[in-house]
Amino acid sequence: MSDIPEEDDMDEVDRRYRRATALDESRPGETVRPAILSQARRLAAERLAQARDVADVQPAAQHRRWRRAALGTLAAAVLAGLLLTPRFREADVAPPSSAQTATPPNAPTVAPAMAPAAAPPPAPPSAAASASASASAFSASVSAARSSAALQGALAANRGSNPAMLARRLRRAAADGDMTVLRALLGGNDVDARDTDRRTALMLAAANGRGDAVRELLAHGADPRALDAQGRTALQLARAAGHVAVVEILERAGAASGEPP
Amino acid sequence: MAEAADSDESLMRRYAAGDAAAFERLYLRHEMRIWRYLHRHTGNRATADELMQEVWFAVARDAPRYMPTARFTTWLFSIAHHRMIDAVRVSGRSMSLDELGHEAEAVVGQLTASPSAGPLAAAVVQDQAAALRRALDRLPAEQREAFLLHIEGDLGIEEIATITRSSYETVKSRLRYARSKLRELLEDHA
């Protein structure tokens, strides 16, 4: 097409436009910039206030460190019990030997609920050997067992299987993004259990920017449209806190549909 | 993908989290480009001012929803484009410099030479600027739109096609014809 300019001509047109623009002294009206910036500042202040509200109702965010330590210690203690107690019990019923005289007569017994899903290996021939094997087995199996069904059973038994307490633990794990505990508690518990402010685990995970927890909770059927006592959804809480990735996850899950514009 | 601390996208994230200063930086960075786009398309200062506020209010309001899947400028000019289309629909007519009388002359007069240049140079530049304004105004609206999105928004053909909901080839053609027409008009003037 001969009437269409070549690239050099196009560049020349652009250059002439830019030269003229550089000399252009026209500006928006004097009130435009102040009006826009004032509105922007007002919205920013509102968002900060909302974020503070969210933070105020999330003690989990401030006590994350000690909670992790406490949960880790608890899990380690439970696992130690899981691995060591059956051996003592078996030692009680085994034929007496010189090595077994050191076994306490009232060694703790294992509770049915704490029976590990993955049973420990067969009892070793002596208590000394058992203790040694248990010590190494413990350290080797901690990481694997943390995500296993055994942990779920152990956590449930340790906390008395109180549904309200388990729901609270679930919400805290969601707020902390503690995926091991969260996964352990998700099966069989009410994923949408509310706290006193009617917040679900999904809301707390969203408000704290816990993307993995949000995905896990949604995969377990958490309701993304649930409202807290102030009428906010998990999506709104995530937006207010500026957690863009979580907002995207929730929007993909359909949390934005039906939301007021 | 790592973002520079002062990139448009990073500033938007910061503003969405409540940092008002980030918005101000962003606004100052793009203020004139958006305003020129609106002003040169509508040819009316008051309309451009009004649309300018609507565009930036929308940016401020929707900041938490902004996803940096595309460049910020693409999103920004997309908002500006749609606001302008809405305004044209409401006014029930296409806005053109031909309809603006004195204001058109005033706009042309603002494309003046630098103060340090002599009166003759100033007159020449002003004349060239007036020619450019007239040439822009004589473009069909779609071609002017494509050209302004490209030159003020620094947008590529694909981005313009997305914003104007046109095909790539259509936008490419509009841009080429716009430049061709501008070249002719400016050469006639030279």
Side-chain angles (χ1 to χ4, degrees):
Chain A
M1 289 195 288
S2 60
D3 60 334
I4 303 300
E6 298 300 321
E7 287 299 323
D8 287 349
D9 297 325
M10 294 177 182
D11 289 346
E12 177 55 24
V13 170
D14 290 6
R15 275 195 292 273
R16 290 184 74 166
Y17 179 93
R18 291 195 168 104
R19 273 202 302 271
T21 295
L23 298 167
D24 186 355
E25 293 178 345
S26 58
R27 293 283 181 275
E30 286 181 3
T31 60
V32 173
R33 185 187 291 181
I36 290 169
L37 295 181
S38 168
Q39 172 78 348
R41 280 192 286 269
R42 189 181 64 76
L43 288 172
E46 283 179 12
R47 285 187 194 121
L48 277 178
Q50 282 180 345
R52 274 197 296 270
D53 286 349
V54 171
D56 286 346
V57 296
Q58 291 165 355
Q62 285 138 16
H63 304 294
R64 200 170 298 140
R65 184 173 293 176
W66 75 259
R67 275 192 199 147
R68 280 186 183 153
L71 277 173
T73 305
L74 182 62
V78 170
L79 284 166
L82 285 170
L83 292 165
L84 293 173
T85 303
R87 290 183 172 81
F88 284 120
R89 193 181 180 197
E90 286 167 17
D92 280 346
V93 297
S97 71
S98 59
Q100 287 168 342
T101 55
T103 303
N106 57 347
T109 56
V110 65
M114 293 179 70
S126 72
S130 170
S132 171
S134 295
S136 58
F138 171 74
S139 60
S141 58
V142 164
S143 58
R146 271 179 68 83
S147 59
S148 73
L151 181 56
Q152 182 177 2
L155 286 166
N158 187 60
R159 288 161 189 143
S161 297
N162 180 333
M165 192 175 288
L166 288 173
R168 193 174 65 185
R169 295 287 177 194
L170 188 146
R171 285 192 297 271
R172 283 188 180 177
D176 283 347
D178 189 333
M179 297 305 293
T180 303
V181 174
L182 182 66
R183 287 183 181 124
L185 290 171
L186 270 172
N189 292 311
D190 181 4
V191 70
D192 284 326
R194 312 290 189 123
D195 65 8
T196 53
D197 292 323
R198 298 197 54 73
R199 291 168 307 184
T200 63
L202 183 66
M203 291 175 193
L204 293 170
N208 279 297
R210 309 295 184 193
D212 287 344
V214 167
R215 279 194 204 92
E216 193 75 22
L217 288 160
L218 288 170
H220 281 78
D223 181 6
R225 298 184 193 178
L227 302 174
D228 70 4
Q230 296 180 48
R232 297 173 300 186
T233 63
L235 178 60
Q236 288 167 328
L237 289 167
R239 274 189 193 138
H243 298 305
V244 177
V246 172
V247 168
E248 193 171 7
I249 294 166
L250 288 165
E251 284 182 338
R252 280 183 188 157
S257 60
E259 183 183 64
Chain B
M1 190 170 59
E3 282 179 5
D6 65 342
S7 69
D8 292 343
E9 292 73 21
S10 171
L11 291 173
M12 275 296 280
R13 284 180 192 278
R14 283 166 49 193
Y15 175 64
D19 181 355
F23 182 91
E24 189 164 345
R25 279 188 73 182
L26 202 58
Y27 175 80
L28 294 177
R29 187 179 289 175
H30 299 288
E31 178 186 46
M32 285 312 300
R33 295 169 70 192
I34 281 288
W35 191 77
R36 277 197 303 267
Y37 166 78
L38 295 168
H39 188 210
R40 292 182 179 177
H41 211 310
T42 62
N44 184 296
R45 180 187 292 272
T47 305
D49 281 357
E50 194 177 320
L51 290 173
M52 181 80 167
Q53 291 191 44
E54 285 185 20
V55 168
W56 285 99
F57 284 176
V59 170
R61 188 190 61 234
D62 294 338
R65 295 172 192 252
Y66 168 71
M67 299 292 173
T69 51
R71 284 194 304 159
F72 170 74
T73 47
T74 306
W75 186 66
L76 178 63
F77 275 86
S78 176
I79 293 172
H81 166 78
H82 292 296
R83 294 281 164 178
M84 200 173 57
I85 296 295
D86 289 345
V88 170
R89 277 199 198 114
V90 168
S91 72
R93 62 189 174 89
S94 173
M95 287 177 262
S96 160
L97 278 180
D98 288 342
E99 304 166 17
L100 299 174
H102 293 302
E103 180 159 15
E105 292 306 315
V107 169
V108 166
Q110 285 158 354
L111 295 170
T112 56
S114 70
S116 59
L120 180 61
V124 169
V125 171
Q126 186 166 353
D127 194 38
Q128 287 177 346
L132 179 63
R133 289 293 307 158
R134 283 195 297 272
L136 268 177
D137 189 48
R138 290 195 176 105
L139 293 179
E142 293 83 3
Q143 290 179 21
R144 185 169 63 230
E145 170 75 347
F147 181 75
L148 286 172
L149 282 172
H150 160 71
I151 200 90
E152 292 294 353
D154 196 24
L155 303 182
I157 294 175
E158 275 187 29
E159 291 168 309
I160 297 170
T162 302
I163 288 173
T164 59
R165 293 175 186 165
S166 307
S167 72
Y168 181 94
E169 288 302 325
T170 299
V171 171
K172 190 175 174 184
S173 174
R174 284 175 183 165
L175 267 178
R176 296 183 76 183
Y177 277 105
R179 285 190 174 113
S180 176
K181 183 79 173 170
L182 286 172
R183 181 172 58 100
E184 283 174 21
L185 292 168
L186 294 172
E187 278 177 359
D188 288 348
H189 176 79

